């Protein structure tokens, strides 16, 4: 049990809230409101396995940096509760589970899996290359709703691409804001981020623009799919959450940029998914 808790800590299992609701939303939209329960189960398993492998790989790749960050002292790998070998085994098992789950849904999904997997496999190393690393994280998580959609329909369609882009921009923006507090550390280690490239103020301005575009894309998606009014309430709740996030944090004050701040972004994914589902009921 202690080993399981350590791996759940290492993979921040609660962060599934950022990707899973949108994966289910993709399946819901692709099915016109009535996705097969069996398919939903395999989607849940695939997304959980994929993001667990991705987080474990990220922590493994950044371990030497995380050990120097006091605010990351709680992490299982930093504390030695998960070894490098154990992390590699865990990643391998998760990837096998991912492949197995994908094989249970639409046949086209296994052929598209490499395209979905590449972003989350390379993301942990992109901070060594480009300040736009946050977009790679957004793309990786944006694959969740795309995967849910294709698992049901077997097709790549324009509304799916709009949903993918909306999620990718949302994730990239709040990751850039959260990561801006590490600007000085990243500079000292030769790492990249939007804050390193443009300063914390520039990073927040870019994040604000990405959040605005994300909300506009969610609105466009609702119009394209002819979703009923509850959907737009969910988008409004998401927009209000993002406005609040930008109001309580800024490039000169990171005192409220905590894990609570980070996790509050889950309101966006949950609200939009729940109200999408309600829009098919009313």
């Amino acid at each position: 049990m202690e080993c399981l808790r350590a791996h759940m800590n290492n993979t921040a299992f609660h962060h599934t809230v950022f990707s899973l609701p949108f994966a289910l939303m993709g399946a819901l939209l692709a099915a016109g409101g009535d996705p097969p329960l069996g398919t939903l189960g395999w989607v849940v398993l695939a997304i959980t396995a994929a993001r667990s492998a991705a987080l474990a790989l990220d922590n493994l790749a950044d371990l030497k940096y995380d050990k120097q960050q006091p605010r990351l002292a709680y992490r299982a790998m930093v504390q030695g509760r998960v070894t490098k070998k154990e992390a590699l085994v865990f990643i391998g098992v998760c990837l096998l589970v991912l492949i197995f789950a994908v094989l249970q849904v639409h046949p086209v999904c296994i052929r598209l899996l490499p395209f979905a997997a590449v972003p989350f496999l390379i993301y942990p190393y992109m901070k060594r290359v480009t300040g736009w690393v946050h977009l790679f994280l957004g793309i990786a998580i944006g694959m969740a709703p795309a995967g849910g959609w294709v698992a049901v329909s077997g097709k790549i369609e324009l509304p799916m691409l709009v949903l993918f882009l909306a999620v990718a921009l949302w994730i990239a923006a709040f990751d850039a804001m959260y990561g801006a507090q590490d600007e000085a550390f990243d500079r000292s280690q030769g790492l990249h981020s939007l804050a390193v490239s443009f300063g914390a103020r520039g990073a927040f301005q870019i994040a604000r623009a990405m959040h605005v575009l994300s909300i506009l894309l969610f609105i466009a998606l609702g119009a394209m799919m002819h979703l009923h009014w509850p959907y737009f309430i969910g988008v409004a709740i998401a927009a209000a959450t993002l406005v609040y996030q930008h109001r309580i944090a800024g490039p000169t004050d990171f005192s409220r940029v905590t894990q609570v701040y980070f996790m509050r972004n889950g309101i966006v994914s949950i609200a939009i998914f729940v109200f999408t589902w309600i829009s098919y009921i009313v």
Side-chain angles (χ1 to χ4, degrees), residues 27-37 40 152 277 280:
L28 185 71
L29 291 173
D34 188 27
L37 290 179
L40 290 182
V152 170
W277 176 65
Y280 280 107

Side-chain angles (χ1 to χ4, degrees), residues 131-226:
W132 293 96
V133 55
H134 317 285
L135 280 178
F136 285 87
L137 177 62
I139 291 169
I141 295 183
M143 289 296 176
W149 188 293
V150 178
V152 170
S153 71
K155 300 176 183 178
I156 297 175
E157 301 172 282
L158 180 58
M160 183 210 79
L161 296 176
V162 172
L163 176 59
F164 160 78
L165 187 56
V167 172
L169 289 172
W170 164 63
I171 287 287
F174 85 71
D175 186 63
M177 293 167 64
Y178 188 76
Q181 64 186 312
D182 295 329
E183 179 185 355
F185 177 82
D186 289 345
R187 287 185 188 278
S188 71
Q189 300 297 318
L191 299 175
H192 299 273
S193 70
L194 282 180
V196 170
S197 298
F198 302 102
R201 186 174 301 278
F204 270 76
Q205 290 174 341
I206 294 171
R208 189 177 300 113
M210 287 194 290
H211 273 153
V212 169
L213 183 54
S214 175
I215 292 299
L216 290 176
L217 287 168
F218 279 121
I219 293 172
L221 175 66
M224 292 172 68
M225 298 293 295
H226 304 290

Side-chain angles (χ1 to χ4, degrees), residues 35-73:
L37 290 179
T39 300
L40 290 182
W42 293 118
V43 167
V44 169
L45 183 60
I47 296 302
T48 302
R51 54 88 43 213
S52 295
L55 262 291
L57 178 60
D58 188 31
N59 289 340
L60 181 62
D62 286 348
L63 183 58
K64 69 175 182 178
Y65 302 115
D66 293 349
K67 286 182 176 180
Q68 302 175 57
Q69 278 275 38
R71 69 180 181 84
L72 301 180

Side-chain angles (χ1 to χ4, degrees), residues 268-279:
V268 173
S269 57
I270 293 172
I272 294 180
F273 165 65
V274 169
F275 282 90
T276 299
W277 176 65
I278 293 174
S279 74

